[in-house]
Amino acid sequence: MKNTTFSIKIFFCFCVVILFSVLVPCGYFLHSIKQESIDLTCEEAFREVSFVRTYIMEEVKKGKFDERETLPETLKNFYSGEEHRVTLIDAEGTVLYDSFAKDISELENHRYHEEVAMAFADGEGSSVRYSSSLGTSFVYAARRVSIPGTSISIIRVAAPLSLVEDHASNRSRALLAGAVAALVFAIAFAAFMSMRFRRSLQLMISSVENLATPGSRSGRISLRTLPGDEFAPLASAVNSMAQRMEVQVNHILAQKAQLDAVLNSIAEGVLVVDHDGCIRSVNATLVRLFPRAAHAEGLQPVEVIPSPDLQKGIESLKHDVPEKPVQFEMDNMSGRKLQVLICPIVGESKLLMAVAVFHDITEMSVLMEMRRDFVANVSHELRTPLTAIMGYAESLKRYVSEPRALHFLEVIDRNSQYMATMVQDLLQLSSIENGAIPMDIKPMPASMAIRGGMDLCRTSAEAKKLEFCEKLDLGDFSIKADAEYLTRVIRNLLENACRYAPEGSQIVISAEPDRESGMAVFRVADSGPGIPPELRVRVFERFYRVEKHRGGQVSTGLGLAICKHIVERHGGCISIEDGPGCIVRFTVPLA
C-alpha cells in the first residue's frame, strides 16, 4: 500500500475498525448463544426428570408398578417421543431402563459417567459429551431420587446436541443477518465519508500544487470554495505561505542573477559540486577552458574534465574534510596550465558542497621559467669574472704593503667571496627547482643525517664555543631521504643557528617518528633572538633577510629557501615553531 491514496487508506482503516467492531461481538454472542442453548436444554431436561419422577411415584401409589415388568411399559406410556432419552439407574450404577436401548443388558455400568457421578455426589449433575453406545453427542441432566418401593436412584434425561445446535443456529443466523446488514451500511457510510474527504483534500492539494507558479494567484485558496469551516485555518496558512514563497522566490532569483553575473565576470573558472560529487553549476570562464562543461549539470567532474587529480580531490572530501584547500596543477586540452584549488563548504560537520577554482597560470609559469633560466644563466656567467676578481685580489695582497691599499683589497676579497657564495646558492636553488639534479631517495638512519650536518658545521660552532646536542628520545629510526641533500638541509639550519646563537650556548638537534602521519619530525633549536611571528612565513623566500631583527651577521638570504625546496622535494614541509629562541621544524617520510 505504499502508493495508495490517503483517502483509500482511511477507507481501509474504517473497514478494519468496523470489521473488528462487528466480528468480535458477533463471535462473543455466537458463543454465548450456544452456551445459553445448552443451559436451556439442561433446564428442560431437569424438568423432564421431575415429570418422570412424579409420574413413577403416582404409579407406585396406585400399586400398579413393577420395575421389572411394568416399568418399561409405564414409561413408554408416559414418554413416547424420540427427542429425549430417559435412563433409570440404580444405586450400583446399573441401568434399569433406557428409552433408546433395545437391550439394556448390553449397556455398561453408568456409575462413573460424569453427570451420574455428580448426581450421586451433589444430588444432580449435567454434562455435554459423546455417547459411544448411540454414536452421537447429548446434553445430559441427572438427578438423585428416592422412590419407595423401587430401586431407582438416578433419573437421567438426555437431549441430542443436534437440537441445541439447531436452536443456536436459528438464533445465530438472525444475529449474523443483522451484523451483515450493519456491516454493509457501515462500509457504505465509510466509503461515502472517504470520498467526501477525498474531494475536500483534492481541492487543497490542487491549490498547493499551484504554488509552483510564481507571480500568479493560482496558488491562493478561496474560502468560499471550501467544503467546511474546519478547512479555513489551513486555507489561510496556505495563502500566507504562498505570499511568503513568492517573495522568497523573487529574492532568490535576484540573488542567483547577481551571483551568475559575478561568476561569469571573473577570470577564473569555477566549478560547484554537491555532496554526492555531481556538478551543480559552472561559470562562463570554465566553459571557455573546457567546452564540454556547457551542459555538465548532474554529471561527474571526470566526465567533463579529464583529470584524475580533480576527481580524486573531490572524492577525498566525502571521507575527510581537510583544514586547507586541495591544490594541484593540471593542463587543459589546449595546453593551458591551470592551478586548481578545491574548497569544501561544510555544515554541521558534514560536506554540503565543494567549489573548485581554476586559475590560468600559463603566463605566470612562462615568466617563472624565464626567471629561473635568467637567474641560472646570470649566476653561471658571473662565476668566471668573480673567480678572476678573487684570484687577482689574492695575488695583489702579496705585492702591496701600504695599509690603505691592503684594506681596499680586503674589502674587494670579502665582497667577492660573498657574491661567489650567493652565485653558488642561486645555481644550487635553480637546480633543485628545475629538478635538474635527481635525488636518490632511499632508507637511511635519521642519526646519519644529523651527524653529517654537525660534522660540516663543527668549525663554525667551535669558533663561537657552541655545543651541538643530538636528541633521539625514542632511539634511532629509518627515514626515506637523499642523504646528501638532507645533510645539506641540516647543515644550512645549523649554520644559521651558529650565526645567531649566543657565544657559549647550546644548539639542540632532535628527531622523532610520528607513526600516525608516517613522517619523521626534525627540529633545530637555538637560544638566539628568534624570529618575530609576523616574519616566520617570509623567511623561506629567496633573498629575504631578518638580520635587522636578529642583529646577527649578514647572509645571502637563500639558505632557508634552499632548505624549503629540498624538504618539499622529499614530500615534507618546513616551518618556524613557537618557543624560546628559534626552533625550525621540518618533516620527511618514514621508511
Side-chain angles (χ1 to χ4, degrees), residues 321-387:
V321 179
E323 296 181 358
K324 297 181 180 179
V326 178
Q327 181 176 345
F328 61 91
E329 294 182 0
M330 60 172 290
D331 297 330
N332 69 345
M333 301 298 291
S334 60
R336 308 292 294 180
K337 194 171 187 63
L338 306 173
Q339 184 184 57
V340 184
L341 279 84
I342 306 176
C343 303
I345 300 176
V346 182
E348 296 182 358
S349 301
K350 65 179 181 179
L351 180 70
L352 299 180
M353 60 178 61
V355 179
V357 181
F358 296 75
H359 300 271
D360 189 343
I361 57 172
T362 306
E363 288 77 10
M364 185 183 298
S365 298
V366 172
L367 291 175
M368 291 294 291
E369 188 69 26
M370 292 175 61
R371 179 188 63 80
R372 284 194 294 267
D373 292 343
F374 174 77
V375 170
N377 292 334
V378 169
S379 300
H380 187 270
E381 293 298 327
L382 285 175
R383 293 179 67 180
T384 301
L386 283 173
T387 302

